[in-house]
Amino acid sequence: MHIAQILQFLEQLQQNNNRTWMEMNKSVYQEARHTLLQATEQLIQGIGKFDHDIAVLAPANCIFRINRDIRFTKDKSPYKSNMGAYFAKGGKTGGYAGYYLHLQPNNQSFIAGGIYDPSPEVLKKIRQEIDYNGEKLELIVGDKRFKELFGKLQGESLQRPPKGYEANHPHIDWLKLKSFIAIHPVMDTMVAKPDFIEHTLTLFEALAPLNQFLNAALDDIE
């Protein structure tokens, strides 16, 4: 199976999001998952060349379950409409900034980096790093190539300055953020190209300085 065929499987799943259909197509799902694991292994090897913390990861510790947590939502569809992998120190649950590949049909795939919804302890440390070294972050996200690939740093933002910071702080817009994410949208046609893995690695390498900045604040977190 080619990576693009993962999108075909997911499109069928979107239209038949129930356990009966999944049971009947279990072998197709397992093939899609195997393809994702293979791609994840390639990406681990590639990222490991410029981010050594990633080189030691196992693919199974990077990919996400396709089952949805339906306990607290009105939508009781049992399966996600996407598949993805997150590459960060300690794996997908390590709590560090990393690199994310999101595969979803109908041109909803994307490549991203940074940290999403960090714990209060982690968020406090990142804000402290921005307070001390915001000029360094400014150079990273203000880089011409970074802006061309990812636009600006994204994330849900507080209405008011976080506790301990003044409204006139030079980096107040970043200090208000509750996530620190850079996103590059990916069309289905790009996923289908034979050099998609290489393309993804190029984008991930451009995200490395952002991740290094965020993770510099977290090295003492267990």
Side-chain angles (χ1 to χ4, degrees):
M1 181 181 282
H2 185 273
I3 294 177
Q5 291 174 282
I6 294 177
L7 298 182
Q8 295 173 15
F9 162 73
L10 290 170
E11 190 162 19
Q12 291 179 322
L13 179 58
Q14 280 183 346
Q15 298 164 10
N16 304 276
N17 199 325
N18 60 78
R19 290 185 174 84
T20 301
W21 184 88
M22 181 64 102
E23 192 61 34
M24 292 175 61
N25 292 272
K26 191 173 182 180
S27 62
V28 184
Y29 162 65
Q30 289 176 334
E31 191 175 355
R33 185 178 184 277
H34 179 68
T35 299
L36 180 61
L37 283 168
Q38 287 181 315
T40 300
E41 176 62 40
Q42 290 179 270
L43 291 169
I44 287 170
Q45 292 176 8
I47 300 168
K49 294 176 182 177
F50 53 83
D51 188 333
H52 300 311
D53 287 326
I54 307 304
V56 299
L57 296 177
N61 289 334
C62 299
I63 69 169
F64 294 93
R65 286 166 52 88
I66 200 164
N67 301 74
R68 294 179 65 245
D69 183 349
I70 60 174
R71 292 174 297 170
F72 309 110
T73 177
K74 291 181 180 179
D75 180 3
K76 299 303 180 183
S77 303
Y79 305 109
K80 299 173 186 174
S81 58
N82 62 79
M83 296 177 76
Y86 183 59
F87 309 84
K89 182 179 179 180
K92 62 180 182 287
T93 59
Y96 284 85
Y99 313 84
Y100 178 56
L101 170 63
H102 181 96
L103 296 172
Q104 188 167 349
N106 303 313
N107 300 315
Q108 295 185 74
S109 301
F110 60 87
I111 291 161
I115 191 165
Y116 175 74
D117 195 23
S119 69
E121 180 191 7
V122 169
L123 183 57
K124 182 179 179 181
K125 287 180 177 290
I126 290 173
R127 284 175 174 156
Q128 189 176 65
E129 187 72 18
I130 293 171
D131 184 30
Y132 292 164
N133 296 308
E135 295 79 8
K136 185 174 181 181
L137 180 59
E138 196 168 332
L139 287 173
I140 292 168
V141 302
D143 178 77
K144 180 181 177 183
R145 186 160 179 268
F146 185 96
K147 290 196 291 186
E148 287 174 351
L149 294 173
F150 306 107
K152 65 179 183 177
L153 209 55
Q154 301 183 40
E156 187 181 351
S157 181
L158 297 171
Q159 293 293 321
R160 298 177 179 274
K163 185 178 179 180
Y165 298 99
E166 299 295 330
N168 62 352
H169 191 289
H171 306 302
I172 192 61
D173 288 343
W174 291 331
L175 291 169
K176 285 182 178 180
L177 291 177
K178 295 193 284 184
S179 294
F180 304 84
I181 305 294
I183 298 175
H184 181 90
V186 176
M187 301 294 103
D188 292 354
T189 51
M190 173 53 72
V191 179
K193 289 186 177 180
D195 64 344
F196 176 63
I197 294 293
E198 289 77 11
H199 176 71
T200 302
L201 286 170
T202 298
L203 288 161
F204 281 167
E205 189 166 10
L207 288 163
L210 172 63
N211 287 334
Q212 289 163 3
F213 175 87
L214 296 170
N215 287 334
L218 313 182
D219 285 339
D220 60 343
I221 290 180
E222 294 299 328

